[in-house]
């Protein structure tokens, strides 16, 4: 019987409501049966595609797919295909493997909708980054039933053609979506080729919407450059309080208006949590001799680690791969790197993390008025997060993706941030 992973995973996000459940969450993420693996996704794809043979016979299915790949002159080896069906290996979620995924889709004559399903639900990455000429052509090809050979011929023709006109590269904020909208309206290959040749200069960089939204999130989360003086004053006042044995008094005289949400949460915790230290001692201990605008500080506060999840753990590769770390964050926030990055997985994961924190911390510290929406917070979070991902050209949150599942599960807890951090502490190996 075919397992309905989408339904199973969606229902499971609301099954863990207590802090005592975080250990169970880790067990769920470690269990290979919890989420659709690549081999099971391939088998399901063949079933959907009308595979005529026995879907319990992995050897025959591997032969079938390899023969289809050979028909389109793919260079994927039989050994690689065998390893996919055996579950020994899966295509990595990185630029070098995306071509293989498209070749599978072309080989099986998938529709546009089926290709998007395969990328999103099985490969766990974004389909059709239409700000590269190759994937823009693939987008048109799957919409219009064009073969892999035809698509490759179009790509070669576009690359070899001289630029006819120079179009403005900043005509649209979400240029990738603009390209998709234009290509969707084309009635012929000639229209496609003329458009892409005329706009070749605009395909030298991409991810602009993602970078803009990431920068906006960072501005909300961390103190701005202008707030540095305010933070220095804060540290000085806290030290004076402690020196004068005034630590037990309230902190109303200290202002953090220009500070970001991260600092405001620290201030809130100091006044509302039951720590053995006084509020002033807690704040100073947390921020003294630290640069709170540093990526390392932010990651440590959000994830309790700056190194990501070690690859030698039992946690799913889908979660481990490109999990936000100091290096991943540095690359994603670098304009020069993100503008030519094809690591869509790392960019999307960073957006999901920062947006999750931004949304729930504003509720926690009282910036967002929830008096009329207390029962609908999860739905509001989901709508806003999916809207942001759409603006950046990414697929919406999907419970069948174990990385997304962790956030969707945490968002349904009474205290999403505390629950998420507890999950992270259980996910990380003991030192």
């Amino acid at each position: 019987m075919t397992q309905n992973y989408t339904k199973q995973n969606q229902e499971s996000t609301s099954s863990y409501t207590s802090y005592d459940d975080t250990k169970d969450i880790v067990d769920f993420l470690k269990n290979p049966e919890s989420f659709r693996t690549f081999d099971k996704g391939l088998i399901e794809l063949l079933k959907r595609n009308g595979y005529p043979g026995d879907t319990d016979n992995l050897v025959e299915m591997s032969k079938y797919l390899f023969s289809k790949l050979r028909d389109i002159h793919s260079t994927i080896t039989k050994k690689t295909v065998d390893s996919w069906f055996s579950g020994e290996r899966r295509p990595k979620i990185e630029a070098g493997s995306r071509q293989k995924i498209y070749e599978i889709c072309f080989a099986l004559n998938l529709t546009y909708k089926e290709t998007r399903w395969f990328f999103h639900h099985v490969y766990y990455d974004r389909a059709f980054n239409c700000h590269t000429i190759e994937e823009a052509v693939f987008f048109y090809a799957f919409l219009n039933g064009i073969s892999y050979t035809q698509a490759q011929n179009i790509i070669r023709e576009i690359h070899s053609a001289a630029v006819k006109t120079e179009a403005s590269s900043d005509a649209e904020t979400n240029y990738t979506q603009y390209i998709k909208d234009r290509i969707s309206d084309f009635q012929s290959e000639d229209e496609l080729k003329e458009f892409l040749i005329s706009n070749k200069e605009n395909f030298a960089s991409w991810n602009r919407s993602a970078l803009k939204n990431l920068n906006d999130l960072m501005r909300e989360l961390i103190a701005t450059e202008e707030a540095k003086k305010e933070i220095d004053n804060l540290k000085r006042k806290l030290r004076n309080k402690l020196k004068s044995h005034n630590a037990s008094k309230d902190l109303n005289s200290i202002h953090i208006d220009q500070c970001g949400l991260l600092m405001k949460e620290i201030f809130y915790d100091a006044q509302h949590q039951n720590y053995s230290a006084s509020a002033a001692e807690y704040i100073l201990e947390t921020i003294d001799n630290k640069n709170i605008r540093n990526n390392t500080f932010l990651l440590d506060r959000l994830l309790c680690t700056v190194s990501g999840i070690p690859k030698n753990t039992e946690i799913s590769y889908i979660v481990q791969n490109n999990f936000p770390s100091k290096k991943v964050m540095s690359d994603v926030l670098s304009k020069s790197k993100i503008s030519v990055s094809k690591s869509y997985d790392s960019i999307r994961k960073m957006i999901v993390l920062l947006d999750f924190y931004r949304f729930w911390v504003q509720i926690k510290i009282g910036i967002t008025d929830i008096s009329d929406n207390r029962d609908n917070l999860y739905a509001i979070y989901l709508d806003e997060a999916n809207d942001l991902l759409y603006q950046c050209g990414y697929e919406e949150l999907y419970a069948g993706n174990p990385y997304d599942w962790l956030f969707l599960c945490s968002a349904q807890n009474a205290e999403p941030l505390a629950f998420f951090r507890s999950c992270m502490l259980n996910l990380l190996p003991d030192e």
Side-chain angles (χ1 to χ4, degrees):
M1 183 173 69
T2 301
Q3 191 169 358
N4 190 329
Y5 283 98
T6 299
K7 181 180 179 181
Q8 168 188 297
N9 295 140
Q10 186 58 56
E11 290 177 349
S12 67
T13 60
S14 58
S15 300
Y16 305 93
T17 57
S18 166
Y19 285 115
D20 296 332
D21 293 335
T22 53
K23 177 65 168 59
D24 294 332
I25 283 179
V26 174
D27 292 339
F28 187 85
L29 287 171
K30 286 181 178 179
N31 184 351
E33 297 299 318
S34 297
F35 298 91
R36 182 187 288 111
T37 55
F38 190 76
D39 55 308
K40 290 180 180 177
L42 269 182
I43 294 170
E44 184 171 345
L45 181 67
L46 292 186
K47 288 179 179 178
R48 290 177 174 219
N49 200 247
Y51 171 67
D54 179 5
T55 53
D56 290 325
N57 191 325
L58 300 182
V59 174
E60 290 302 316
M61 284 191 290
S62 181
K63 286 181 181 178
Y64 176 82
L65 178 58
F66 180 68
S67 69
K68 292 289 187 179
L69 289 166
R70 192 169 50 189
D71 288 344
I72 67 167
H73 306 293
S74 168
T75 59
I76 299 174
T77 66
K78 179 66 164 57
K79 183 179 179 181
T80 296
V81 177
D82 287 343
S83 71
W84 291 343
F85 278 99
S86 69
E88 179 186 347
R89 293 171 58 192
R90 58 152 289 139
K92 292 183 178 179
I93 304 177
E94 58 184 33
S97 293
R98 290 178 65 82
Q99 180 69 21
K100 293 184 178 71
I101 303 302
Y102 281 117
E103 288 177 11
I104 293 172
C105 298
F106 275 113
L108 295 174
N109 295 311
L110 300 189
T111 63
Y112 166 74
K113 185 176 180 181
E114 290 168 337
T115 301
R116 280 195 59 183
W117 175 86
F118 189 55
F119 265 84
H120 193 202
H121 290 229
V122 180
Y123 182 54
Y124 299 116
D125 200 11
R126 165 193 191 181
F128 305 117
N129 171 35
C130 286
H131 213 154
T132 69
I133 287 173
E134 288 76 13
E135 296 202 26
V137 172
F138 289 164
F139 177 67
Y140 179 85
F142 282 103
L143 282 177
N144 294 277
I146 289 175
S147 71
Y148 182 61
T149 300
Q150 286 175 281
Q152 294 286 35
N153 289 337
I154 293 171
I155 291 168
R156 281 191 288 271
E157 187 175 341
I158 293 168
H159 279 307
S160 62
V163 179
K164 294 180 181 179
T165 60
E166 187 172 338
S168 170
S169 62
D170 56 1
E172 299 285 334
T173 302
N174 189 339
Y175 195 73
T176 304
Q177 188 59 46
Y178 165 73
I179 293 170
K180 281 186 175 181
D181 292 341
R182 289 294 305 275
I183 291 176
S184 297
D185 291 334
F186 293 154
Q187 301 299 312
S188 69
E189 291 179 23
D190 287 338
E191 283 184 273
L192 173 71
K193 287 185 282 190
E194 181 179 359
F195 172 75
L196 294 180
I197 291 170
S198 298
N199 288 273
K200 279 173 74 174
E201 294 297 317
N202 291 339
F203 286 83
S205 64
W206 49 90
N207 294 324
R208 295 177 208 158
S209 296
L211 180 58
K212 176 187 179 300
N213 281 288
L214 280 166
N215 284 334
D216 288 344
L217 284 167
M218 289 297 288
R219 275 191 290 272
E220 287 190 74
L221 267 53
I222 62 175
T224 62
E225 186 65 35
E226 293 73 22
K228 188 176 184 304
K229 183 177 180 181
E230 185 175 66
I231 295 167
D232 290 340
N233 287 335
L234 168 62
K235 292 178 180 179
R236 177 180 53 78
K237 289 180 179 180
L238 290 172
R239 291 192 194 100
N240 289 338
K241 274 182 171 290
L242 295 176
K243 285 179 181 178
S244 62
H245 305 289
N246 197 24
S248 62
K249 292 189 176 181
D250 64 60
L251 302 175
N252 292 335
S253 61
I254 296 177
H255 301 288
I256 55 169
D257 299 334
Q258 294 183 57
C259 292
L261 293 172
L262 194 66
M263 186 64 234
K264 290 176 179 177
E265 185 194 20
I266 293 170
F267 205 83
Y268 177 91
D269 286 346
Q271 296 178 301
H272 294 84
Q273 302 293 339
N274 293 321
Y275 297 114
S276 57
S278 67
E281 287 172 328
Y282 171 79
I283 297 171
L284 192 60
E285 181 181 323
T286 304
I287 68 173
D288 203 17
N289 300 315
K290 296 174 184 176
N291 180 359
I292 69 170
R293 300 187 65 252
N294 187 279
N295 293 348
T296 302
F297 185 82
L298 184 145
L299 286 173
D300 192 47
R301 291 291 303 176
L302 270 58
L303 299 172
C304 310
T305 178
V306 299
S307 306
I309 294 178
K311 289 182 168 42
N312 60 350
T313 65
E314 299 175 63
I315 302 301
S316 167
Y317 162 80
I318 307 303
V319 178
Q320 292 178 25
N321 188 59
N322 294 314
F323 192 90
S325 65
K326 183 178 179 180
K327 184 182 185 308
V328 168
M329 193 169 189
S330 176
D331 289 346
V332 164
L333 295 176
S334 166
K335 183 177 181 180
S336 62
K337 290 182 179 180
I338 194 175
S339 64
V340 292
S341 174
K342 293 183 181 179
S343 183
Y344 312 121
D345 181 52
S346 63
I347 298 169
R348 184 183 181 276
K349 281 179 175 172
M350 189 59 67
I351 292 171
V352 170
L353 170 66
L354 299 184
D355 178 66
F356 175 85
Y357 178 76
R358 176 203 61 79
F359 182 89
W360 292 110
V361 78
Q362 289 188 94
I363 290 169
K364 172 183 174 179
I365 64 180
I367 291 178
T368 300
D369 181 9
I370 62 171
S371 55
D372 296 328
N373 297 301
R374 189 174 296 276
D375 295 333
N376 300 313
L377 288 178
Y378 176 71
I380 295 170
Y381 162 70
L382 204 57
D383 287 344
E384 291 190 10
N386 287 336
D387 182 62
L388 177 60
L389 288 169
Y390 174 79
Q391 290 175 38
C392 297
Y394 291 101
E395 301 285 355
E396 64 184 25
L397 291 168
Y398 167 52
N401 180 324
Y403 180 82
D404 292 2
W405 182 89
L406 180 58
F407 291 91
L408 293 171
C409 186
S410 299
Q412 296 185 70
N413 189 266
E415 296 183 58
L417 292 180
F419 187 82
F420 175 75
R421 284 167 171 146
S422 180
C423 289
M424 283 303 306
L425 287 172
N426 279 283
L427 275 172
L428 297 172
D430 294 332
E431 294 295 335

